[in-house]
């Protein structure tokens, strides 16, 4: 009997201990715990749930949490609450669920809920709900998701305009080509015509405004299935995933050109983003995005050559021209690699004494198979496109110096020699060093060497040591002559006279050739000569083809001329003969 009584006491003690442990756990957990009937009415809750919801226990017993725990915009109707019943067989209730809840003070928070079903001693079914405040974790996850999305957007979009960047464009068009093997993917390559002028005239903030305006103007006129991306400084591309044919692309391009031609106001100024467009369409089964971009780019180049502000389509005719120029590009690259260019030399004459004072070095290319002679106007744009213009200019420079040394050995050591220097040559890291080395090696007078730079170059700030303006200053300080070529056809020529350390200018032939027939050209040339004389810098007039023009230029105060009236460019091997026997074909002008 005593043993049985002791056993009962032990079991009772164990039960009481379990109850005490259970009470301590339930009352001290940070998770809210609810006991509900299957209609969702609260039978019991712990203090933690009241703390989470900011409520008194007496205010919620007998109520369904759906009556007070949901935000206003998610609050169920009373009919929905009355109709609610837990379904213990619902598999969705077995997993953790996330809800946006509302405390009694109106603050919102995120709660994580779990539900378990149990049957009581009397056979009643209950739902045991555990509620945990996970606001910090959810908000951290939302922040990280937003950050990830923002970083992904920044990685795939242009920061200035907000449209996709080149990487996103390539991914998009590759996918479009895979999904449209029937050849209905079209591409428009859009390039602004006057962007540099806007930057130089109004500043980079205006340029940024033009780029943003361009992006939004194009975007607003496309279908949702199309894409516009910025792939370069002032270059945009448009992908049309369902373009019927080139005619359709042409219509889209014309619509964009018309929209971009409308001026817009920025900072009380009227700006315009005129553009040129090249269009190409993929061939059925062709999934090469780069090939399509190359075709559109070539069509854009044709639009630029056609006068800008227009659209060119990459049709069969343009394809044949592209193939021809591609072959020429390969042959020209080989000619540069092997140095197989021809050079002629055009004399410069002093009108006051009718004496030749020097020569300009001019490159010519003879096709190795056809024997056709290509002028610089024909092959220089191709060489520039393939990035070898600096290399060709380096060859031209060395040829000019060799010719200068040869003339000195033939008794014409006082003659000057000039060569053209493109931006690529000016930026070449070995340019000045190789020039000085070659001049010193041949014992040439630096003052007899002239470097001609185009007026249309972007010379930059002379305070920056790597700018072209600074390189020109270094050349002048080293004792060389530097002339501004094609003077009068650019828009910043007078500014260059004020900022660059120049020896002289060459007035462009397009102005000189018209001074006898066009009063405006006459006045421009005369004023340019007067200005140069006032600034004590030399001036050469190009394109003089008759004595009357020469006499008119001399009357204006110009002493140096160059053109066919003196001589056409002379082959290298004929210069000494020409100097000896033919350098004075006309009587000196008095």
């Amino acid at each position: 009997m005593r043993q049985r009584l002791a056993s009962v006491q032990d079991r009772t003690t164990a039960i009481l201990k379990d109850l005490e442990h259970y009470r301590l756990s339930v009352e001290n957990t940070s998770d809210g715990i609810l006991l509900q009937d299957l209609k969702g009415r609260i039978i019991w809750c712990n203090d933690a749930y009241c703390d989470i919801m900011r409520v008194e226990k007496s205010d919620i017993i007998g109520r369904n949490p759906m009556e007070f725990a949901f935000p206003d915009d998610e609050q169920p109707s009373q009919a929905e609450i009355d109709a609610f019943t837990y379904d213990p067989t619902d598999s969705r209730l077995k997993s953790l669920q996330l809800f946006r809840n509302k405390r009694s003070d109106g603050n919102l928070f995120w709660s994580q809920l779990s539900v378990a079903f149990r049957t009581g001693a009397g056979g009643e079914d209950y739902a045991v709900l555990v509620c945990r405040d996970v606001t910090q974790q959810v908000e951290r996850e939302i922040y990280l998701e937003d950050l990830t999305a923002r970083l992904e957007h920044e990685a795939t979009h242009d920061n200035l305009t907000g449209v996709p960047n080149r990487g996103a464009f390539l991914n998009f068009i590759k996918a479009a080509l895979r999904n449209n093997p029937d050849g209905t993917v079209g591409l428009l390559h859009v390039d602004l015509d006057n962007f540099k002028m806007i930057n130089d005239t109004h500043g980079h903030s205006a340029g940024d405004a033009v780029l943003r305006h361009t992006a939004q103007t194009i975007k607003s006129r496309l279908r949702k299935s199309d894409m516009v991306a910025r792939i370069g400084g002032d270059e945009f591309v448009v992908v049309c995933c369902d373009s019927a044919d080139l005619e359709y692309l042409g219509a889209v391009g014309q619509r964009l050109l018309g929209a971009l031609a409308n001026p817009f106001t920025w900072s009380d100024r009227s700006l315009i983003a005129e553009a040129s467009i090249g269009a190409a369409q993929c061939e059925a089964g062709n999934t090469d995005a780069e090939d399509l971009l190359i075709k559109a780019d070539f069509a854009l180049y044709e639009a630029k050559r056609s006068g800008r502000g227009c659209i060119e389509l990459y049709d069969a005719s343009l394809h044949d021209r592209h193939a021809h120029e591609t072959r020429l590009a390969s042959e020209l690259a080989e000619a540069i690699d092997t140095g197989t260019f021809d050079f002629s030399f055009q004399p410069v004459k002093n009108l006051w004494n009718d004496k030749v004072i020097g020569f300009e070095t001019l490159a010519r290319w003879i096709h190795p198979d056809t024997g056709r002679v290509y002028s610089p106007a024909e092959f220089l744009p191709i060489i520039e496109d393939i990035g070898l213009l600096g290399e060709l200019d380096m060859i031209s420079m060395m040829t000019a110096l060799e010719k200068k040394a040869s003339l000195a050995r033939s008794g014409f050591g006082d003659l000057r020699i000039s060569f053209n220097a493109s931006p690529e040559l000016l930026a070449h890291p070995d340019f000045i060093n190789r020039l000085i080395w070659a001049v010193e090696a041949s014992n040439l007078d630096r003052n007899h060497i002239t470097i001609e730079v185009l007026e249309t170059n972007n010379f930059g700030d002379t305070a920056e040591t790597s700018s072209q303006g600074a390189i020109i200053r270094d050349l002048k300080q080293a004792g060389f002559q530097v002339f501004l070529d094609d003077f009068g056809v650019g828009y910043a020529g007078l500014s260059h006279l004020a900022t660059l350390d120049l020896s002289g200018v060459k007035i462009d032939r397009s102005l000189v050739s018209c001074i006898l027939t066009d009063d405006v050209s006459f006045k421009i040339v005369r004023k340019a000569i007067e200005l140069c004389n006032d600034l004590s810098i030399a001036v050469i007039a190009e394109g003089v083809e008759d004595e009357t023009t020469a006499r008119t230029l001399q009357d204006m105060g110009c002493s140096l001329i160059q053109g066919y009236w003196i001589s056409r460019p002379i082959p290298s091997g004929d210069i000494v003969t020409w100097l000896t026997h033919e350098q004075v074909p006309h009587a000196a002008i008095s």
Side-chain angles (χ1 to χ4, degrees), residues 108 117 263 303 389 393 455 495:
L108 301 180
F117 298 98
L389 189 54
D393 281 350
E455 178 193 14
S495 172

Side-chain angles (χ1 to χ4, degrees), residues 4 31 33 37 100 126-127 134 173 185 216 260 280 322 339 371 382 453 460 467 490 512 522 528:
R4 282 204 305 248
D31 292 343
I33 300 176
D37 62 20
R100 195 166 64 113
Y126 298 101
V134 291
I173 194 170
V185 177
Q216 295 309 311
L260 291 173
H322 188 194
I382 299 176
V453 295
S467 71
V512 173
F522 178 91

Side-chain angles (χ1 to χ4, degrees), residues 4 15 95 247 332 425 494 579:
R4 282 204 305 248
I15 291 172
S95 59
E247 184 178 352
L332 284 166
L425 180 61
L494 295 179
L579 285 169

Side-chain angles (χ1 to χ4, degrees), residues 470-484:
I471 293 171
I472 288 173
R473 180 197 61 215
D474 294 343
L475 287 168
K476 187 79 181 313
Q477 291 179 352
F480 298 101
Q481 300 284 313
V482 181
F483 271 60
L484 196 61

Side-chain angles (χ1 to χ4, degrees), residues 11 56 69 101 103 153-154 242 325 459 532 545 566 579:
R11 287 199 299 274
E56 296 294 332
N101 284 167
R103 308 186 205 276
H153 184 275
E154 290 176 357
D242 296 302
E325 292 194 7
F459 296 103
C532 290
E545 298 191 3
I566 304 168
L579 285 169

Side-chain angles (χ1 to χ4, degrees), residues 47 50 63 77 137 281 350 375 433:
D47 292 340
C50 294
R63 300 177 66 188
S77 67
Q137 296 93 312
Q281 188 172 37
N350 188 326
S375 69
N433 289 336

Side-chain angles (χ1 to χ4, degrees), residues 215-408:
Q216 295 309 311
T217 298
I218 296 174
K219 185 178 179 180
S220 66
R221 285 161 176 77
L222 300 179
R223 303 167 301 178
K224 289 184 178 180
S225 60
D226 299 336
M227 174 201 238
V228 56
R230 182 186 177 202
I231 62 170
D234 60 344
E235 295 181 69
F236 296 84
V237 288
V238 175
V239 182
C240 298
C241 293
D242 296 302
S243 58
D245 48 33
L246 281 174
E247 184 178 352
Y248 170 82
L249 291 179
V252 174
Q254 290 292 353
R255 186 164 67 245
L256 295 180
L257 289 176
L260 291 173
N262 293 322
F264 70 99
T265 301
W266 172 83
S267 190
D268 296 328
R269 303 175 190 176
S270 180
L271 302 177
I272 189 170
E274 293 178 306
S276 298
I277 299 178
Q281 188 172 37
C282 70
E283 300 175 1
N286 186 345
T287 58
D288 191 337
E290 290 291 351
D291 180 61
L292 186 58
L293 182 58
I294 289 172
K295 291 178 179 178
D297 184 60
F298 186 78
L300 172 64
Y301 180 70
E302 286 298 304
K304 296 284 189 181
R305 286 203 291 200
S306 298
R308 302 173 182 266
C310 62
I311 181 171
E312 286 286 342
L313 307 178
Y314 193 90
D315 54 16
S317 174
L318 207 56
H319 169 77
D320 292 341
R321 192 183 312 170
H322 188 194
H324 171 68
E325 292 194 7
T326 300
R327 287 193 300 271
L328 284 183
S330 176
E331 292 165 345
L332 284 166
E334 183 178 357
I336 290 175
D337 187 50
T338 56
T340 52
F341 275 87
D342 268 21
F343 290 90
S344 296
F345 299 84
Q346 189 166 35
V348 177
K349 178 175 282 191
N350 188 326
L351 286 173
W352 301 115
N353 58 20
D354 203 38
K355 296 294 184 181
V356 173
I357 67 161
F359 292 89
E360 178 185 1
T361 308
L362 301 173
R364 298 288 186 268
W365 180 55
I366 302 176
H367 194 280
D369 295 328
T370 65
R372 179 186 169 187
V373 179
Y374 286 82
S375 69
E378 294 174 294
F379 65 76
L380 286 183
I382 299 176
I383 290 180
E384 184 175 10
D385 285 344
I386 60 178
L388 295 177
L389 189 54
E391 299 299 324
L392 176 59
D393 281 350
M394 189 71 78
I395 296 173
S396 178
M397 178 187 81
M398 299 306 294
T399 300
L401 298 179
E402 290 170 4
K403 178 51 61 179
K404 167 64 178 171
S406 173
L407 288 172

